[in-house]
Amino acid sequence: MFKFSSASFCLRGTKTLLVFALFSASTAALAFDNFKGVGRPATPAEVKAWDIDVRPDFKGLPKGSGSVEQGQELFEAKCASCHGTFGESNEVFTPLVGGTTKDDMKTGRVKGLSSGELPQRTTFTKVATISTVFDYIQRAMPWTAPKSLKPDEVYAILAYMLNLSEMVPADFVLSDKNIAEVQKLLPNRNGMTTEHGMWPGAPAKKGGIGNGGVPDTANKACMKNCKQEVQIGSTLPEYARTAHGELAEQNRSFGPVRGTRTLGPEAAKKAADAGTLELATKSGCMACHGIKSKIVGPGYNEVVARYAGQTDAEARLIGKVKAGGQGVWGSVPMPPNAHLKDEDVKTLVQWILSGAK
Amino acid sequence: MVDIVKQPGRLRPAPENFLSDEQVKAVGSGRRDFLRRSFIAAGAALAAPLAARASEGDPNILQNPAWTTSLGQPVATRPYGLPSQYESQLLRRESPGLARVGGASVSFAPLQGLFGIITPSGLHFERHHQGWHDIDPSKHRLMVNGSDDSLLKKAKVYTLDELMRLPSASRIHFIECGANTGLEWGNVAVPTVQYTHGMLSCSEFTGVPLKYLLDDCGVDYKKARYVLAEGADGSSMTRTIPMEMVESGEVMVAYGQNGEMLRPENGYPLRLVVPGVQGVSWVKWLRRIEVGDQPYATKDEAVHYIDLLPNGLHRQYSSIQEAKSVITTPSGGQTLLDHGFYNVSGLAWSGRGKIKQVDVSFDGGINWQTARLEGPIQNKALTRFNINWVWDGKPAILQSRAMDETGYVQPTYGQLRKVRGTKSIYHNNAIQSWKIIESGEVSNVQVL
């Protein structure tokens, strides 16, 4: 059916007939199948392929199992580069594990969340439903190859994370049979509330969620002499003023206002230099060149000295960076850098010639 | 300071060369009247030809510019039009340090330079959970199924060809990330309205009410009270939507945005539109709708997009974006050109319906005046407000306060923090304050 539909341009007529035949047999409700010729039944295989969600009541959970040990191996291979070997890393994403205690497991409330002792929330300090973690690993992980994990692998990785969180022993095997037991150990399983006014559906008293839209603040539209004094709670710290670049360049150069000049020419040059150094590092230049010292190739200070006063220095260096070269600085060749964008090469060469910093 | 007097249309050339350091300092301290006098002095001191010209009038008028005296470019030189070369500074931008992976980051819309209520599609804010793709529409499918077969008569698959044959609706709605202004819960953290409020955009969306598709599949509305929406990207982002909203007809399966197809960064070729609800529920690259009899507790409603309260509990399934407003001109990181008249302009919106009133204060919230609302005022859409103001050169604190049709009034930081503390991350709709000092520089402050 799926393949059939992809070829819908040439098979349009046939398909319409088929769909019509299928649907006309059913006793339709008023609006059911109201749009003749539009849509077709999903095949069981299609539904199975896409319907991978796992709910808190474990509806949708695939059969399978995986051990902590298998999980550790998989985690180190597929997850650790972002999350750290122990799921503790804060380098790329916020940490997965940590911040929970044995006591939390008993109460189902992570104490650190209210006591303020937690430096940072981790996945396991927040999540109240173990299905969420299974579902997410299965649908979206690993980062660069989502949906590549088989159910057993998802179980194993989750088992390893549970072990890291000290919820299960090192010889534990997680499966569709015992995951409901694990749910009962989740440290923050009682940590959610839906008692608020921000659910747009039916309220809890009518079988839905929340309080039916009652807000938690009640400001008044006072117009005159609304208070005695203006209390400033916080002002923009100086570092934050400049952390977002040159604000003058983030506004029009005409109109009722101008962007405030936040960096000034010197700071702007410094920021540009820092950006170019990063570009140089990313482009691999700094592996062979030092700013003030020879590594494999010459230091940039030496390059500047050699080309000083030559009007065509920029063009010649751009050519050398792109095509590579040998002999000027000795026998070790400079490899060609055809992969670099022209504008990046130009930026790098100008940076070098202006006395790279 | 230098920029301030460089505005086109003024008779006199830029004054920086005519002002001594002392004079520049005088301007910096707010003595603008002094500026005017110095122009006259500077004009008199100029070399003869320029002075003569200045006394006759503006050279931009006296001498026809190149665009008035030469042939312009033909039609379709740029088959897909682009903004003027002079508009290169208003771009969507990232906030440094906010996220470490571009595929799971945010770019903010430059609200400080936008007019009216429609966000140009190319400046619409971005939030991706696992990067964006440009999906081939001929290969994109939308499936509607049930968590249980008994919840509908038939699970179905629709192609874009088919969805675009269905009765369509076009509606203007705002979309705001639940984490908009989230950086500011504890204290002032970012300098401009782009970074405080720029996870906000508003477009005219065209699509099919989701109700039509659920009807078409014969959904049992008595049992199926929740809808799961799922994307086709790597993250296959999922969120739970209440069936009541679908039944209202407001939730749309949209393919159109501002007269053209959705942009890839905004979900091309299909996204969910859930008016009034935070952006994360507007699932992009929408590939599947599942109807169910209970909420799903997906990652983005069980680990993220949950609001931490002072008592350690998290609010789950918080979705509605409550009434909020912000002044965009003048705003943080800008400098006023001079004393005198200004049109103070901003945006107001509410996830609970229409904006009824916006009040503006120039004294940090002691006294308020009601602003003009630019109509037509639409349901769950941005509403532009404007108010006249003459700046006397004295320090001022500008605020705006929105009220929606339910009578709800946007809270102060003090009121909001009293209930929710400072670690909620999401749903910060507190009144924004911009402080203006004598030099004309506007900066971000928080008034309690």
Side-chain angles (χ1 to χ4, degrees):
Chain A
M1 274 306 241
F2 196 60
K3 205 172 160 193
F4 180 48
S5 167
S6 323
S8 61
F9 276 120
C10 49
L11 293 172
R12 167 67 68 200
T14 325
K15 182 185 165 198
T16 306
L17 278 176
L18 177 68
V19 170
F20 183 77
L22 275 171
F23 280 9
S24 57
S26 61
T27 49
L30 189 64
F32 173 48
D33 192 27
N34 208 19
F35 307 114
K36 282 196 167 53
V38 173
R40 61 166 178 84
T43 69
E46 288 170 347
V47 174
K48 193 177 169 219
W50 275 9
D51 184 359
I52 57 169
D53 63 84
V54 182
R55 290 198 316 199
D57 63 352
F58 301 114
K59 187 160 219 169
L61 186 72
K63 286 194 185 342
S65 66
S67 69
V68 171
E69 200 183 340
Q70 291 162 335
Q72 178 169 6
E73 202 171 301
L74 283 161
F75 197 93
E76 281 171 8
K78 294 172 189 274
C79 318
S81 61
C82 286
H83 295 294
T85 307
F86 305 106
E88 84 298 346
S89 174
N90 193 24
E91 286 297 307
V92 184
F93 301 101
T94 46
L96 300 175
V97 301
T100 58
T101 66
K102 292 272 179 205
D103 251 10
D104 297 341
M105 260 179 262
K106 281 184 207 141
T107 61
R109 286 282 303 274
V110 171
K111 197 165 163 243
L113 289 171
S114 52
S115 67
E117 287 157 20
L118 268 187
Q120 186 169 23
R121 286 178 289 169
T122 69
T123 297
F124 278 90
T125 60
K126 294 187 281 184
V127 72
T129 37
I130 195 69
S131 60
T132 304
V133 189
F134 188 100
D135 175 274
Y136 184 64
I137 297 171
Q138 175 171 258
R139 74 173 53 247
M141 288 293 116
W143 179 247
T144 52
K147 298 175 195 66
S148 60
L149 298 170
K150 295 182 183 71
D152 285 349
E153 295 178 309
V154 179
Y155 279 107
I157 289 167
L158 184 51
Y160 176 62
M161 287 164 67
L162 294 170
N163 177 251
L164 288 173
S165 305
E166 298 176 333
M167 289 169 60
V168 300
D171 60 357
F172 188 74
V173 179
L174 181 68
S175 74
D176 56 299
K177 303 284 188 299
N178 64 11
I179 194 167
E181 295 305 309
V182 170
Q183 168 66 34
K184 293 177 191 160
L185 300 171
L186 215 53
N188 204 40
R189 63 188 178 279
N190 300 320
M192 296 289 170
T193 175
T194 53
E195 185 52 39
H196 57 72
M198 291 192 280
W199 173 250
K205 62 181 177 216
K206 290 187 180 168
I209 290 170
N211 68 16
V214 182
D216 58 358
T217 60
N219 198 7
K220 298 263 186 302
C222 167
M223 300 304 286
K224 288 272 171 250
N225 303 316
C226 301
K227 54 187 174 187
Q228 297 297 311
E229 54 164 5
V230 177
Q231 201 189 340
I232 304 266
S234 172
T235 57
L236 186 71
E238 187 55 30
Y239 72 84
R241 186 172 177 265
T242 52
H244 287 71
E246 180 53 80
L247 299 181
E249 288 164 12
Q250 299 177 28
N251 283 273
R252 281 194 187 85
S253 53
F254 60 95
V257 295
R258 294 291 180 277
T260 304
R261 196 155 284 287
T262 41
L263 292 183
E266 243 174 69
K269 165 101 170 61
K270 212 167 147 187
D273 279 344
T276 316
L277 176 59
E278 201 184 312
L279 175 67
T281 309
K282 221 166 61 186
S283 306
C285 314
M286 306 311 290
C288 299
H289 301 279
I291 285 176
K292 290 197 186 315
S293 60
K294 178 179 159 68
I295 300 177
V296 179
Y300 290 140
N301 56 331
E302 298 173 78
V303 177
V304 173
R306 180 179 294 250
Y307 288 89
Q310 300 183 24
T311 48
D312 61 343
E314 185 177 317
R316 281 174 61 196
L317 279 178
I318 287 175
K320 280 194 191 299
V321 171
K322 280 161 71 171
Q326 190 177 8
V328 182
W329 299 93
S331 58
V332 181
M334 158 110 173
N337 289 283
H339 63 288
L340 295 180
K341 286 191 221 147
D342 284 356
E343 65 260 33
D344 285 349
V345 175
K346 193 167 171 194
T347 304
L348 288 166
V349 166
Q350 286 173 346
W351 171 70
I352 293 164
L353 288 174
S354 72
K357 280 194 182 95
Chain B
M1 263 328 102
V2 164
D3 279 347
I4 285 172
V5 280
K6 257 194 199 163
Q7 53 178 327
R10 287 220 168 179
L11 268 183
R12 301 159 189 100
E16 62 265 44
N17 300 329
F18 310 119
L19 297 182
S20 68
D21 284 352
E22 229 167 57
Q23 289 167 326
V24 170
K25 264 185 215 141
V27 177
S29 69
R31 286 175 51 204
R32 296 292 165 78
D33 54 328
F34 173 77
L35 242 183
R36 292 201 184 81
R37 274 186 273 119
S38 70
F39 280 136
I40 295 160
L46 280 173
L50 188 54
R53 239 184 335 191
S55 68
E56 280 172 44
D58 185 343
N60 290 303
I61 295 173
L62 297 178
Q63 291 164 9
N64 279 324
W67 49 85
T68 313
T69 55
S70 61
L71 177 63
Q73 301 185 67
V75 298
T77 303
R78 298 193 293 203
Y80 193 101
L82 294 166
S84 159
Q85 59 176 315
Y86 303 106
E87 292 296 315
S88 61
Q89 296 178 314
L90 294 167
L91 303 170
R92 41 187 183 204
R93 295 173 194 270
E94 283 189 90
S95 181
L98 182 60
R100 281 152 289 189
V101 187
S105 186
V106 171
S107 71
F108 297 80
L111 302 182
Q112 69 273 23
L114 302 185
F115 312 116
I117 61 169
I118 298 293
T119 311
S121 297
L123 295 177
H124 193 294
F125 82 92
E126 294 170 279
R127 166 73 170 117
H128 313 310
H129 289 82
Q130 210 146 339
W132 63 275
H133 294 277
D134 194 355
I135 291 176
D136 179 348
S138 73
K139 294 184 173 146
H140 189 73
R141 301 288 180 271
L142 177 67
M143 180 186 289
V144 177
N145 73 313
S147 62
D148 198 294
D149 289 345
S150 70
L151 296 179
L152 39 58
K153 290 203 167 74
K154 197 145 283 176
K156 289 181 86 167
V157 171
Y158 302 89
T159 62
L160 257 293
D161 294 346
E162 291 164 337
L163 292 171
M164 292 168 83
R165 283 165 64 182
L166 293 177
S168 72
S170 295
R171 296 181 195 130
I172 296 175
H173 289 300
F174 79 83
I175 171 172
E176 182 185 21
C177 177
N180 201 25
T181 324
L183 292 164
E184 301 266 308
W185 263 108
N187 50 271
V188 172
V190 291
T192 77
V193 72
Q194 178 158 20
Y195 307 108
T196 57
H197 289 76
M199 286 194 267
L200 170 74
S201 295
C202 184
S203 304
E204 185 200 58
F205 292 99
T206 296
V208 184
L210 177 58
K211 174 83 164 50
Y212 291 0
L213 301 179
L214 300 196
D215 286 353
D216 189 45
C217 295
V219 167
D220 180 347
Y221 292 102
K222 281 212 177 70
K223 284 194 255 169
R225 299 311 301 163
Y226 298 91
V227 164
L228 181 79
E230 180 184 86
D233 59 323
S235 76
S236 293
M237 246 275 317
T238 41
R239 275 286 299 199
T240 305
I241 319 283
M243 188 61 91
E244 289 81 7
M245 279 205 81
V246 179
E247 288 172 307
S248 78
E250 282 193 0
V251 178
M252 281 200 298
V253 172
Y255 44 81
Q257 179 183 355
N258 297 333
E260 58 184 3
M261 283 296 289
L262 292 162
R263 292 291 170 92
E265 298 94 319
N266 303 125
Y268 183 94
L270 204 63
R271 87 173 303 169
L272 202 63
V273 167
V274 193
V277 167
Q278 60 187 359
V280 68
S281 295
W282 297 42
V283 172
K284 296 190 282 189
W285 314 291
L286 182 72
R287 77 166 190 181
R288 193 169 70 93
I289 292 288
E290 176 176 304
V291 297
D293 53 6
Q294 57 173 269
Y296 289 82
T298 70
K299 186 263 285 177
D300 288 309
E301 55 196 20
V303 177
H304 301 303
Y305 301 88
I306 52 174
D307 312 4
L308 180 59
L309 298 173
N311 65 7
L313 286 172
H314 286 92
R315 282 183 176 170
Q316 193 174 22
Y317 301 114
S318 53
S319 304
I320 292 175
Q321 297 297 104
E322 295 180 303
K324 188 168 171 180
S325 68
V326 66
I327 293 170
T328 53
T329 308
S331 57
Q334 297 181 333
T335 300
L336 297 178
L337 285 174
D338 204 343
H339 303 170
F341 182 86
Y342 285 89
N343 177 58
V344 171
S345 185
L347 294 166
W349 62 100
S350 168
R352 290 206 177 90
K354 291 181 179 175
I355 287 294
K356 189 164 138 198
Q357 183 177 320
V358 178
D359 303 314
V360 172
S361 173
F362 297 98
D363 59 10
I366 297 172
N367 297 293
W368 298 81
Q369 301 167 51
T370 300
R372 305 185 300 275
L373 300 185
E374 304 304 322
I377 298 163
Q378 308 188 67
N379 179 44
K380 301 175 186 176
L382 291 188
T383 299
R384 175 64 64 172
F385 66 86
N386 291 297
I387 188 166
N388 297 352
W389 184 48
V390 175
W391 183 44
D392 59 8
K394 296 197 183 101
I397 294 178
L398 274 55
Q399 299 182 317
S400 64
R401 181 182 68 194
M403 186 202 291
D404 68 17
E405 61 180 333
T406 70
Y408 172 89
V409 178
Q410 185 182 0
T412 64
Y413 263 103
Q415 289 167 337
L416 204 55
R417 286 185 184 142
K418 203 171 157 195
V419 202
R420 302 191 205 162
T422 57
K423 292 176 179 165
S424 264
I425 298 183
Y426 305 98
H427 302 111
N428 177 359
N429 66 328
I431 289 172
Q432 171 69 43
S433 307
W434 303 120
K435 185 173 91 173
I436 301 179
I437 55 174
E438 286 95 337
S439 69
E441 181 172 343
V442 190
S443 68
N444 185 2
V445 297
Q446 288 181 354
V447 172
L448 299 179

